[in-house]
Coordinates of all heavy atoms in Angstrom, one line a residue:
G206 N 168.1 116.9 67.1 CA 169.0 118.0 67.2 C 169.4 118.4 65.9 O 169.6 119.6 65.6
S207 N 169.8 117.5 65.0 CA 170.3 117.9 63.7 C 169.2 118.6 62.8 O 169.6 119.6 62.2 CB 170.7 116.6 62.9 OG 171.8 116.0 63.5
V208 N 168.0 118.1 62.9 CA 166.9 118.8 62.1 C 166.8 120.2 62.5 O 166.9 121.2 61.6 CB 165.6 118.0 62.5 CG1 164.3 119.0 62.2 CG2 165.4 116.7 61.8
W209 N 166.7 120.5 63.8 CA 166.5 122.0 64.2 C 167.7 122.7 64.1 O 167.6 124.0 63.8 CB 165.8 122.1 65.6 CG 164.4 121.3 65.5 CD1 164.1 120.1 66.1 CD2 163.3 121.8 64.8 NE1 162.8 119.9 65.6 CE2 162.3 120.9 64.9 CE3 163.0 122.9 63.9 CZ2 161.0 121.0 64.3 CZ3 161.8 123.0 63.4 CH2 160.8 122.1 63.6
R210 N 168.9 122.2 64.3 CA 170.1 122.9 64.1 C 170.2 123.4 62.6 O 170.5 124.5 62.2 CB 171.4 122.0 64.4 CG 172.7 122.5 64.1 CD 173.0 123.7 65.0 NE 174.0 124.6 64.4 CZ 174.0 126.0 64.3 NH1 172.8 126.6 64.8 NH2 174.8 126.6 63.8
R211 N 169.9 122.5 61.7 CA 170.0 122.9 60.3 C 169.1 124.0 59.9 O 169.3 124.7 58.9 CB 169.6 121.6 59.3 CG 170.8 120.6 59.3 CD 170.2 119.5 58.5 NE 171.0 118.3 58.8 CZ 170.6 117.0 58.6 NH1 169.2 116.9 58.4 NH2 171.2 115.9 59.0
L212 N 167.9 124.1 60.6 CA 167.0 125.1 60.3 C 167.3 126.4 61.1 O 166.6 127.3 61.1 CB 165.6 124.7 60.8 CG 165.0 123.5 59.9 CD1 163.6 123.2 60.2 CD2 165.2 123.9 58.3
G213 N 168.5 126.4 61.8 CA 169.1 127.6 62.4 C 168.9 127.7 63.9 O 169.4 128.7 64.5
A214 N 168.3 126.8 64.7 CA 168.3 126.8 66.1 C 169.7 126.6 66.6 O 170.6 125.9 66.1 CB 167.4 125.7 66.6
Q215 N 169.9 127.3 67.7 CA 171.2 127.0 68.6 C 170.8 125.8 69.4 O 169.9 125.9 70.2 CB 171.6 128.1 69.4 CG 171.9 129.4 68.8 CD 171.9 130.5 69.7 OE1 171.9 130.5 71.0 NE2 171.7 131.8 69.2
V216 N 171.6 124.8 69.2 CA 171.1 123.4 69.9 C 172.3 123.0 70.9 O 173.3 122.9 70.6 CB 171.0 122.3 68.9 CG1 170.5 121.1 69.7 CG2 169.8 122.6 67.9
V217 N 171.8 122.9 72.2 CA 172.7 122.3 73.3 C 172.2 121.0 73.6 O 170.9 120.8 74.0 CB 172.8 123.2 74.5 CG1 173.5 122.7 75.6 CG2 173.3 124.6 74.0
V218 N 173.0 120.0 73.6 CA 172.5 118.6 73.9 C 173.3 118.3 75.3 O 174.4 118.3 75.4 CB 172.9 117.6 72.9 CG1 172.4 116.1 73.2 CG2 172.4 117.9 71.5
L219 N 172.4 117.8 76.2 CA 172.9 117.5 77.5 C 172.9 116.0 77.7 O 171.8 115.4 77.8 CB 172.1 118.2 78.7 CG 172.1 119.7 78.7 CD1 171.2 120.2 79.8 CD2 173.5 120.2 78.8
E220 N 174.0 115.3 77.9 CA 174.1 113.9 78.0 C 174.7 113.5 79.3 O 175.6 114.1 79.8 CB 174.9 113.3 76.8 CG 175.4 111.9 77.0 CD 174.3 110.9 77.0 OE1 173.3 111.0 76.2 OE2 174.3 110.0 77.9
A221 N 174.0 112.6 79.9 CA 174.4 112.1 81.3 C 175.9 111.4 81.3 O 176.6 111.6 82.2 CB 173.4 111.3 81.9
L222 N 176.0 110.5 80.3 CA 177.2 109.8 80.4 C 178.3 110.6 79.9 O 178.4 111.5 79.2 CB 177.0 108.5 79.4 CG 175.8 107.6 79.6 CD1 175.7 106.5 78.6 CD2 176.2 106.9 81.1
P223 N 179.6 110.1 80.4 CA 180.7 110.9 80.1 C 181.3 110.5 78.7 O 182.1 111.3 78.1 CB 181.8 110.4 81.1 CG 181.3 108.9 81.6 CD 179.8 109.0 81.4
D224 N 180.9 109.5 78.1 CA 181.4 109.1 76.7 C 180.3 109.4 75.7 O 179.0 109.3 76.1 CB 181.8 107.7 76.7 CG 182.9 107.4 77.6 OD1 183.8 108.2 77.7 OD2 182.9 106.3 78.3
F225 N 180.6 109.7 74.5 CA 179.6 109.9 73.4 C 179.4 108.6 72.7 O 180.3 107.8 72.3 CB 180.3 110.9 72.4 CG 179.4 111.3 71.3 CD1 178.1 111.7 71.5 CD2 179.7 110.9 69.9 CE1 177.1 112.1 70.4 CE2 178.8 111.2 68.9 CZ 177.6 111.8 69.2

Side-chain angles (χ1 to χ4, degrees):
S207 296
V208 161
W209 296 108
R210 173 70 202 128
R211 286 177 198 146
L212 296 183
Q215 294 161 24
V216 181
V217 177
V218 184
L219 300 175
E220 165 61 45
L222 296 176
D224 299 318
F225 180 64

